[in-house]
Amino acid sequence: MEGPVDLPQWHLSVERQLREQQAKILKLTSMVDENQDQLQQLKSVAVVVNKHHEQLQRLQSVAVMVDKHQDQLQRLTSVAIVVDKHQDQLQRLQSVAFMVDEHQDQLQRLAPLPQQVQGLKDDVKDLKKQMKENSEKLEILKVKVNS
């Protein structure tokens, strides 16, 4: 059997552990919020990319058609008019494609974020459970100390 417990020391130790766990929970919560913000930004970029991907594919198929049918001047003229009408969209699509290329590494690094966020949520849940248990122990100790 263990010797007598130094209740004031033990009480301080439990309170210190509680503060440390609360600090960990705040840090993890902050990390979860930051990761969710980054994930939301990436989702927004993905929505823009998906919206313009079809237009880019259509423009690429138009370019293939232009190459295959150079002798058909009327079709080329009408395609050129369509391309001119959509020049702003094409430039925006090129900018988006460039941005996607630039941020490809970030997109790949952020792919596991949902799993990491879930892991952090699980950690927070475990820490909250530990805090509750420690709070209950602290209350028991307070009752014992006061009696």
Side-chain angles (χ1 to χ4, degrees):
M1 189 166 152
E2 294 181 21
V5 175
D6 183 2
L7 284 179
Q9 272 308 109
W10 187 81
H11 181 269
L12 290 174
S13 173
V14 168
E15 284 184 339
R16 180 184 51 75
Q17 287 176 357
L18 241 145
R19 283 191 303 274
E20 288 173 358
Q21 288 177 350
Q22 286 172 337
K24 286 179 184 177
I25 287 173
L26 286 174
K27 182 179 178 183
L28 288 171
T29 302
S30 172
M31 289 170 62
V32 166
D33 291 343
E34 182 180 318
N35 286 340
Q36 286 176 334
D37 289 345
Q38 291 175 350
L39 185 60
Q40 191 57 44
Q41 290 172 357
L42 283 175
K43 285 181 180 178
S44 298
V45 169
V47 166
V48 170
V49 169
N50 287 337
K51 282 182 182 178
H52 296 292
H53 183 68
E54 289 180 15
Q55 291 175 340
L56 182 59
Q57 285 180 329
R58 280 188 254 133
L59 288 172
Q60 287 172 337
S61 57
V62 166
V64 168
M65 184 178 82
V66 167
D67 288 343
K68 288 182 179 180
H69 303 286
Q70 288 181 359
D71 56 25
Q72 299 172 352
L73 185 57
Q74 288 180 337
R75 288 184 186 174
L76 282 175
T77 303
S78 63
V79 167
I81 291 169
V82 169
V83 170
D84 285 342
K85 286 182 182 178
H86 298 290
Q87 190 64 32
D88 290 341
Q89 288 178 342
L90 179 60
Q91 287 174 346
R92 278 184 265 143
L93 285 172
Q94 288 170 337
S95 298
V96 168
F98 179 75
M99 185 174 68
V100 167
D101 286 344
E102 275 189 293
H103 298 291
Q104 192 64 35
D105 290 344
Q106 288 177 338
L107 288 170
Q108 289 173 349
R109 278 184 284 156
L110 291 174
L113 272 182
Q115 294 84 9
Q116 290 174 353
V117 167
Q118 185 58 48
L120 289 172
K121 285 180 180 178
D122 293 343
D123 290 347
V124 167
K125 190 167 87 175
D126 291 343
L127 285 171
K128 284 182 180 179
K129 181 181 175 187
Q130 288 177 3
M131 276 182 53
K132 182 180 178 188
E133 291 171 359
N134 284 339
S135 293
E136 290 169 359
K137 289 177 185 177
L138 185 60
E139 286 301 318
I140 291 169
L141 280 175
K142 284 180 181 178
V143 169
K144 285 183 180 179
V145 168
N146 289 332
S147 62

